[in-house]
Amino acid sequence: MRYGDFLSLCQRSPLPVCRLFGDVVLPTCHLNPYEAGDAYFVNLPDFVISIIALLVTLYLGFRAHRRLDAVEIALLLTLFSVCLVLNIAGADFIYVSTVKANRIMADGSFASILSIVVSTAIVFIGFGFMAADTAFGISSGLKPKPSDPFYSPGLFTMYLVFPLVALVVYITAQSIIVVKYLAVRLPLIWLFSSLVCFAVAQVLLFVASKKICTGSNGKIDGAFFATLLDSAAVFCIYGFWTSITEDDTEEYEGGFKY
């Protein structure tokens, strides 16, 4: 597979980004619709798990307000809730990756919030324009050539490579800060559990989706497991956050050390 070529990826995996190239390339294994009266659900398992994940996310957001410095985790849960709502609605959505490179800044401080908002806006606007330009040829600079309609190295970098770089930076920065400045180890279990969930989700989505679809006779594919494990990864990040923050109903006595 060439760097920047989406053809083989779109044939193997039900990626939302593939719709930017039109309906000329679809996964080689199609899901069979579920019938409920006059209604048809193309991917009912993913629909159901998205609703459950959304309810859990809303509950965690409610729980988060009991703790100090809850602004950043609230932003994360809000963004993830938006992604789940769009997934439930059947719409394509953009993965927004933000890197909080320095947790030494007070969580919830103006500088901390500004860094998240600005980085998120830059990624969202940049990726949004790149996606629109790829699909509609706004500037005629990113739209694939007719001779190579699925080749888009810029979109490939932004959609697949950048999130991995952001993830590595985040995991590395958080590990150093937790070990060096907080001198604790238990939060790392949450952090690396999140990493494992995310990694397995990508393997099932990009590598095993076709086999899952074929083996289940078109009843389920890798998207279901990706939603399930991506949700678990976010919930583990919540667990990581609770293990390094204070509960405002209790007096902090260094109880997070392990």
Side-chain angles (χ1 to χ4, degrees):
M1 184 185 74
R2 288 184 303 164
Y3 183 91
D5 191 355
F6 281 91
L7 179 58
S8 60
L9 287 176
C10 293
Q11 290 176 336
R12 294 198 308 262
S13 309
L15 301 178
V17 72
C18 294
R19 295 187 183 180
L20 296 176
F21 303 96
D23 296 328
V24 292
V25 57
L26 295 171
T28 52
C29 180
H30 302 280
L31 292 177
N32 298 319
Y34 290 81
E35 297 184 21
D38 295 332
Y40 291 86
F41 296 92
V42 177
N43 197 344
L44 184 60
D46 190 40
F47 178 82
V48 172
I49 198 63
S50 295
I51 292 179
I52 295 174
L54 178 61
L55 294 176
V56 175
T57 302
L58 294 176
Y59 172 73
L60 294 181
F62 173 77
R63 293 270 301 176
H65 83 280
R66 296 179 62 250
R67 307 182 76 83
L68 299 174
D69 306 325
V71 176
E72 293 177 4
I73 194 66
L75 289 173
L76 171 64
L77 294 176
T78 299
L79 287 172
F80 187 63
S81 296
V82 171
C83 289
L84 289 172
V85 169
L86 293 177
N87 198 35
I88 292 170
D92 294 344
F93 57 85
I94 296 175
Y95 289 98
V96 178
S97 300
T98 58
V99 179
K100 184 167 52 177
N102 190 350
R103 196 180 168 84
I104 298 177
M105 287 189 300
D107 192 350
S109 67
F110 176 77
S112 178
I113 296 175
L114 183 63
S115 67
I116 295 177
V117 172
V118 171
S119 62
T120 300
I122 292 174
V123 173
F124 184 83
I125 294 173
F127 192 9
F129 175 79
M130 186 174 295
D133 201 13
T134 299
F136 306 111
I138 297 175
S139 68
S140 301
L142 295 175
K143 187 174 179 62
K145 298 178 180 179
S147 59
D148 207 357
F150 310 109
Y151 181 66
S152 179
L155 187 64
F156 191 93
T157 300
M158 199 68 177
Y159 188 78
L160 297 174
V161 178
F162 173 76
L164 293 178
V165 173
L167 178 65
V168 171
V169 172
Y170 177 80
I171 294 293
T172 303
Q174 295 301 314
S175 299
I176 293 174
I177 291 170
V178 166
V179 173
K180 183 175 180 180
Y181 294 98
L182 300 182
V184 292
R185 289 176 292 176
L186 183 59
L188 294 179
I189 297 177
W190 287 107
L191 189 62
F192 287 104
S193 294
S194 176
L195 179 61
V196 170
C197 288
F198 177 79
V200 175
Q202 304 318 299
V203 171
L204 294 177
L205 179 62
F206 287 96
V207 179
S209 183
K210 179 180 177 181
K211 293 182 179 179
I212 294 173
C213 179
T214 304
S216 65
N217 295 320
K219 295 180 179 179
I220 195 172
D221 61 12
F224 167 79
F225 295 102
T227 300
L228 176 64
L229 291 170
D230 283 342
S231 300
V234 172
F235 301 156
C236 286
I237 289 295
Y238 176 86
F240 168 74
W241 172 78
T242 59
S243 67
I244 59 175
T245 56
E246 305 174 36
D247 191 326
D248 62 5
T249 62
E250 299 177 2
E251 182 179 356
Y252 176 66
E253 298 177 349
F256 302 125
K257 293 191 175 182
Y258 176 71

